[in-house]
Amino acid sequence: MTQMALQLNVTYRDAADKPATVLYDVPKNARVVNGSCADNDQFIQLVWGPESVEKNRLMVSFRRNTTEHEFALSGMSFYLVVFGEQFPNAKDNQILTLENNQTLFKTPTDMSYHCNRPQKLNLTASDNSTSTVTVSKLQFEAFHNKQNAKFSIAKDCDAIDTPDIVPIAVGCALILLIVIVLIAYLAGRRSTRSRGYVSM
């Protein structure tokens, strides 16, 4: 399961064969046409665009690490047909192929990943130029083995990861402090009792 908003910053060739840059939003009406729910590698493929031309495509891949009991986004690839008003004055017959094959957003198995803030990812084009995609309002969960279509508890990108050792150390320090105060109290009381109580 995946939901996100994507904005690409891409470079294409204009009619004079010069580079031009445009911000391109992946539309909300992109639809799922393919996917895989294999054991350790999964993907989802979306398409969009007018019926009269070849479809734009996005494939998002996920990989599970069974040793670490986590999964991550393992790749994102775009296939864009440079056509229409989104690419002003574009040279004819251009296709942009953009990829990011980094392992990102590691998440424990049986949880989802959630991040509202925009995150910029670098994309490599087939002509070795660089583009970026800004991902926002992201939530995904791969290897979902439940019978419902709801996201599991989310690991948030802005949450502070506190190692388990910190709360354990704080708890031990508090217990030690209580024991020291208790020993000091009992020792003081015993010495007062052995000397006898003197009042003025």
Side-chain angles (χ1 to χ4, degrees):
M1 295 187 303
T2 304
Q3 66 183 25
M4 66 184 98
L6 298 169
Q7 184 180 61
L8 295 150
N9 185 344
V10 296
T11 302
Y12 65 98
R13 304 302 253 175
D14 66 12
D17 204 29
K18 293 184 179 173
T21 303
V22 68
L23 292 176
Y24 179 91
D25 292 318
V26 174
K28 290 181 180 180
N29 65 352
R31 65 185 191 282
V32 176
V33 293
N34 198 1
S36 166
C37 293
D39 286 342
N40 293 320
D41 290 292
Q42 296 185 351
F43 74 88
I44 186 169
Q45 185 177 32
L46 297 106
V47 297
W48 66 93
E51 296 296 326
S52 59
V53 295
E54 189 176 3
K55 296 289 185 200
N56 298 301
R57 296 189 296 265
L58 163 64
M59 187 158 77
V60 181
S61 305
F62 303 95
R63 177 162 290 145
R64 177 166 42 188
N65 182 333
T66 54
T67 308
E68 299 290 327
H69 303 290
E70 63 186 15
F71 69 95
L73 187 135
S74 60
M76 188 179 280
S77 60
F78 293 88
Y79 180 89
L80 297 176
V81 179
V82 180
F83 175 82
E85 60 191 40
Q86 293 167 322
F87 297 97
N89 196 28
K91 182 179 174 182
D92 290 338
N93 301 320
Q94 283 185 80
I95 304 290
L96 297 177
T97 306
L98 309 165
E99 292 186 347
N100 179 311
N101 293 317
Q102 293 176 287
T103 299
L104 302 166
F105 315 131
K106 290 183 180 179
T107 307
T109 309
D110 296 331
M111 288 184 77
S112 65
Y113 178 84
H114 178 264
C115 195
N116 274 331
R117 71 176 156 81
Q119 299 179 81
K120 193 174 283 191
L121 308 177
N122 291 325
L123 299 170
T124 305
S126 51
D127 63 357
N128 290 326
S129 64
T130 55
S131 298
T132 60
V133 60
T134 302
V135 182
S136 59
K137 300 176 185 169
L138 171 65
Q139 186 161 12
F140 66 79
E141 182 176 0
F143 309 99
H144 183 84
N145 55 8
K146 298 174 185 153
Q147 298 301 319
N148 60 31
K150 294 181 180 177
F151 287 109
S152 298
I153 295 171
K155 173 187 176 184
D156 197 88
C157 63
D158 292 325
I160 299 170
D161 284 338
T162 306
D164 291 340
I165 193 71
V166 173
I168 292 170
V170 169
C172 290
L174 287 174
I175 290 171
L176 183 63
L177 184 63
I178 290 169
V179 168
I180 290 171
V181 168
L182 186 61
I183 290 172
Y185 170 75
L186 292 174
R189 190 167 176 203
R190 177 176 284 171
S191 69
T192 303
R193 187 179 284 170
S194 66
R195 285 187 288 149
Y197 182 73
V198 179
S199 63
M200 297 207 175

